[in-house]
Amino acid sequence: MPTENERKYVLSDAAAVRALWAPDDWSEIRQGYLPGDARIRRLTIGGRASDSFTYKIAAAGRLIEIETALADPRDFDDLWPLTDRRIHKRRRTVTDRHGLQWDIDLLLDADGTCYFAMAECEMPETMEAPPEVLPALAPFIAYAVPRDRQGEFLNSRLADPGYAAALRF
């Protein structure tokens, strides 16, 4: 089971960040949180959708992330009405020159307007921080979220645009 270890960065100027990559390079994500600590996600890119179920739990000092594909689209469709918090985001995933994965998320409100932009760098369990910020994003880093504030920047919380707007950094 993989240990989740990531660093989060709040981004400024979502329109400029979106313009860094071609429109077709971005995926659309619909994500909903089920009672407890599970979530479902539908990722659409190039007109093709894939669904997944994820459960995260803290155990023995690490955050374990268990993720599995939902092969039948009906599973996502049947679970969606049971979600209590939902988020819609546009995502670009980039692998940097160090082999680290960066997920750049533009969180969208009901009208499709970006209300919050954030990047996350997925790292090996033993790494404290990436060796460098993804160069294309460097001019747009508004805040490097310290480890002790990571919980304030969870997607499950950022699903509420009012909560996101009230964050101070």
Side-chain angles (χ1 to χ4, degrees):
M1 288 179 233
T3 299
E4 181 175 275
N5 183 29
E6 61 189 18
R7 293 304 299 261
K8 299 173 185 270
Y9 300 86
V10 177
L11 303 174
S12 64
D13 200 347
V17 169
R18 184 164 187 215
L20 291 172
W21 295 279
D24 291 345
D25 291 340
W26 293 85
S27 61
E28 294 285 323
I29 295 176
R30 299 273 180 182
Q31 189 166 289
Y33 295 86
L34 295 162
D37 293 319
R39 74 162 191 239
I40 57 171
R41 174 185 287 166
R42 175 164 284 159
L43 180 141
T44 305
I45 189 161
R48 291 193 322 250
S50 60
D51 302 329
S52 62
F53 173 90
T54 304
Y55 181 77
K56 296 180 184 182
I57 188 167
R62 62 191 186 116
L63 182 60
I64 299 171
E65 181 177 37
I66 304 164
E67 188 166 86
T68 188
L70 297 175
D72 187 336
R74 291 180 308 159
D75 295 338
F76 179 93
D77 295 337
D78 290 346
L79 289 169
W80 187 253
L82 303 177
T83 60
D84 58 359
R85 290 161 289 149
R86 297 175 179 168
I87 195 164
H88 178 203
K89 55 188 170 181
R90 190 164 285 123
R91 172 174 282 178
R92 175 67 168 116
T93 299
V94 177
T95 302
D96 71 14
R97 66 188 184 103
H98 304 284
L100 301 175
Q101 178 179 308
W102 288 78
D103 292 326
I104 300 98
D105 290 339
L106 307 178
L107 283 55
L108 308 175
D109 65 16
D111 297 326
T113 303
C114 180
Y115 66 87
F116 197 81
M118 185 169 63
E120 299 177 350
C121 180
E122 300 282 343
M123 304 174 301
E125 183 175 355
T126 58
M127 189 177 279
E128 182 63 26
E132 65 182 348
V133 170
L134 189 65
L137 293 180
F140 306 107
I141 301 295
Y143 182 63
V145 179
R147 287 226 182 251
D148 64 343
R149 292 195 65 197
Q150 296 271 321
E152 297 173 55
F153 293 84
L154 298 173
N155 277 285
S156 58
R157 295 177 122 183
L158 296 172
D160 175 0
Y163 173 86
L167 279 170
R168 296 292 170 244
F169 42 87

